[in-house]
Amino acid sequence: MNRPLTTLVWLLAFTALAMLPQVLSVKYYLHLSILALIWVIVAQGQNLIQGFTGYVSIVQAGFMGIGAYGSTLIGIHFGWPIWATIAAAPLITALFALLTGYPSLRVKGHYFAIVTMAFNLIIVIVLVNFRELTRGEAGISNIPKPWDGDRDAYFYLALTLAAAMTLLAALIARSRVGEILRAIRQNEDLVGAIGIAAWKYKLFAFVISAMYAGLAGALYAHFQGFINPEIFGVAQSLDAILAVILGGTGTIAGPVIGAFLVVFLPELLRFADSFRLILYGLILVLATIFMPIGIVGVAKTVLARLHRPGARHDG
Amino acid sequence: MLIEILQQTINGLAIGGVYVLIALGLTTVFGILGIAHFAHGSISMFGGYLTYFLMTGYGLPLIAAIPIALAAGVLLGALVEMLAYRPVRHANHINAFIVALGLTMMVEGINLQFFGHEQIVIPTTLSRVFDIKGVTVPELRLYVILSAILLVAAMMIFVEKTKTGQAIRAVAENRDAAILMGVNVTTIPLIVFGISTALGVAAGIMVGALFAIAPGIGEGLVVKGFAVLILGGLGSFPGAILGGTVLGITESIAAGFISSAYKDVIAFAVMIIVLLVRPQGLLGRAP
């Protein structure tokens, strides 16, 4: 697709989303849509490290937890206003990401995935056991909500932030940094060989992706009003990976579509009840085998074919 | 103090044996196919559940249930290779890992569906406790340690001495050369997955008898298995054995002397320190 057409599609999608609170009569769907918008931020962050840089990180939900607990605890102990705590959340998360990213990024491929997952497990263990601070498994309730819990207003907040974060991701992807990140994914040794310190860029991608997650975590906490360690486990980190894969790895639209899928798909599979987890896993396996380029990838291929009539159809 | 250290070391050896068995399966699969077989833990727990089910549902004795569960493991491992991993063999390695994550969800779902949410303990009659100069050694723990040693030795002999073992090592060393030498690279992954899964099932049974099996245990175990690989060094058999033992003992001593709630954190901290100081692992070759 050409540039103006792409911009038009984005604007249409944004307008359609902005009309949702007026259109949706079932309040539960509005609730899910807000969650999906928060997950758009998580998935955009995951895509920066997983999609562009080619490092599958399994700690995104853990970083969400740090953002959520960070924002909540600062509010409780220092009495900061909600906006200040939400703004502080990505910064706290960035600090943790710097500390964990340095050792994790010394290894590649699967090892990186496993080490980051170990960090996610550590975060959950600390959240469960450091009761004096986190109140353990029971979690923290009555977290203050802005606008007295007005859902429509929160929807627009989530929408604005999700759009801004998507735009930021697009700007990063288009910049020289984005080019280097993609080069690292394709051939890290070559990047090093032409005199670029790849580790700086990898750490940058890791920390930025963590800041996305931290922001999303804070938004989650002040939306739901309740957090406990279970919400920020490895299973949720896998959801972030799933969102990127299903939507389209290394694209900007992919994580948006993927985030809505991972929030709404389990709801749609509710009819399957206890088979839900099996079905969900099966979809993931089948999607990876038969559609590794994701929904956006497939759409792009189809559009490219339509634009070139007479192009080969054997595929 | 000394007695307490010895006591925790014995405890650590038992759990270390479980880690070694899990890690051996993972390292063999990784060596041959370059796949981080993340579903290994959940499939191993399926084996543990199956043993329990055969005993309580069909009234089989433990000694009869174990071989059936091991055979089921061989079959399951081969199926997983054929249906899930083979289609993504030539794709990016990330794809295989994501397939592994999907498989984990499926197997966890199957475990929940068929065996429920409640934790189960595989019943054994091995309840005697030996007392060796103040160190208590439960009979069950001793048998677990001995069977782990036996299985590891059998695996070593198989890989080092038999023709199939040679072929497995050849594929791990150089896939293309192995094909030229007439090694069947279609059946080797099947065999590797079968054996690895059977080792995992053995570990699952041990966990079920020593502690308990519950949802989520398998995922924790596979992460420990990978931690062992990172500790010991990629694709190294002796590394997996050393790494598993070290991790098991570290964890036990940490649980005994520092904090049992944070024992996993300490185990992972050891792994991360090793990564920082020696990224290729304790016994791994320098890159």
Side-chain angles (χ1 to χ4, degrees), chain B residues 28-201:
Chain B
T28 325
V29 166
F30 199 103
I32 300 287
L33 298 155
I35 291 173
H37 179 30
F38 191 73
H40 193 53
S42 304
I43 296 179
S44 303
M45 287 309 121
F46 176 82
Y49 275 122
L50 187 66
T51 309
Y52 174 80
F53 181 70
L54 287 171
M55 290 174 72
T56 54
Y58 289 92
L60 290 181
L62 181 62
I63 219 73
I66 289 176
I68 299 176
L70 290 179
V74 171
L75 204 68
L76 210 59
L79 270 178
V80 161
E81 197 279 325
M82 223 158 60
L83 298 178
Y85 288 124
R86 194 168 293 181
V88 288
R89 183 184 293 173
H90 297 292
N92 195 322
H93 275 329
I94 290 180
N95 293 19
F97 189 66
I98 298 190
V99 166
L101 297 180
L103 267 180
T104 311
M105 285 184 200
M106 284 176 72
V107 177
E108 285 286 320
I110 289 169
N111 284 349
L112 272 179
Q113 181 67 26
F114 291 106
F115 306 112
H117 293 263
E118 299 295 315
Q119 69 167 36
I120 58 119
V121 177
I122 294 174
T124 59
T125 49
L126 310 166
S127 53
R128 278 184 294 168
V129 175
F130 304 118
D131 193 313
I132 307 167
K133 294 199 174 117
V135 181
T136 49
V137 184
E139 189 185 15
L140 176 62
R141 243 160 234 212
L142 203 63
Y143 277 115
V144 164
I145 296 170
L146 288 177
S147 358
I149 292 173
L150 210 68
L151 283 170
V152 170
M155 180 74 180
M156 293 291 262
I157 291 169
F158 171 73
V159 171
E160 293 293 330
K161 303 289 181 202
T162 64
K163 205 148 176 79
T164 318
Q166 260 179 352
I168 290 174
R169 278 185 297 144
V171 177
E173 194 99 350
N174 188 329
R175 192 184 157 82
D176 296 327
I179 295 173
L180 291 175
M181 291 297 127
V183 172
N184 187 337
V185 284
T186 316
T187 50
I188 291 294
L190 282 176
I191 296 169
V192 164
F193 260 90
I195 293 174
S196 300
T197 309
L199 286 179
V201 167

Side-chain angles (χ1 to χ4, degrees), chain B residues 230-246:
Chain B
I230 291 176
L231 265 178
L234 166 64
S236 158
F237 261 45
I241 296 167
L242 179 71
T245 318
V246 166

Side-chain angles (χ1 to χ4, degrees), chain A residues 50-76:
Chain A
Q50 176 188 340
F52 288 111
T53 322
Y55 277 70
V56 180
S57 157
I58 318 186
V59 64
Q60 202 72 352
F63 284 149
M64 268 181 92
I66 290 178
Y69 274 90
S71 178
T72 307
L73 291 174
I74 290 179
I76 291 176

